[in-house]
Amino acid sequence: MRVQIALGLVAALVFAPVVVAKGNAHHWETSPHHLSALVGTTYTKECGNAFTLGIDYEYRVSDFLGVGFVAEYAFEDLDAYTYLLVADLHITNNFIAQIGPGVEFHGSHKMEVARLGFLYEFEVSGVTISPQLHYDYHRNHKSAVVAGLAIGMSF
């Protein structure tokens, strides 16, 4: 599973510059909402890699700032739900840092989480493709790394 995700990320990075040149870029003022779905993996020292699905919503406030939420589920042995309120810091048109607090549930166990992540967003005919890498810090627990590929759209 890790190899498939890594190959997908590499392919997106290799072919994206060609595709972006042909795409139709949106402007955040006319379409400030962005919704995307993530497919990836969550790695922890205790459980190894767990297949992960997620959704991400952003409301773009300015050229630099977007606010929103993230909801993810890591399957297999990890079996964890993560919910975050995030700020998306648009460092460039495509490069985005994501930070925010949240909560994570493992069965009946609840813990606080803080996320720091980076993504690079390409746009192809109104659809965004973004390889992502996030570090989730858990106080008094082992932290996690989430890597994946998100596909989304602005509206």
Side-chain angles (χ1 to χ4, degrees), residues 45-119:
K45 224 174 200 181
E46 298 90 3
C47 299
N49 285 295
F51 178 69
T52 302
L53 292 175
I55 60 169
D56 181 318
Y57 169 78
E58 175 191 17
Y59 179 79
R60 191 82 178 264
V61 177
S62 70
D63 281 336
F64 180 68
L65 178 64
V67 293
F69 67 86
V70 173
E72 293 174 350
Y73 176 65
F75 291 79
E76 300 159 14
D77 292 339
L78 194 51
D79 190 31
Y81 293 90
T82 305
Y83 303 101
L84 301 148
L85 295 175
V86 294
D88 289 344
L89 309 175
H90 294 258
I91 298 166
T92 68
N93 284 339
N94 302 91
F95 184 62
I96 303 163
Q98 187 175 73
I99 58 171
V103 63
E104 189 164 293
F105 296 93
H106 296 269
S108 62
H109 186 69
K110 174 182 160 183
M111 68 179 83
E112 297 170 349
V113 61
R115 171 166 284 188
L116 172 61
F118 298 98
L119 52 126

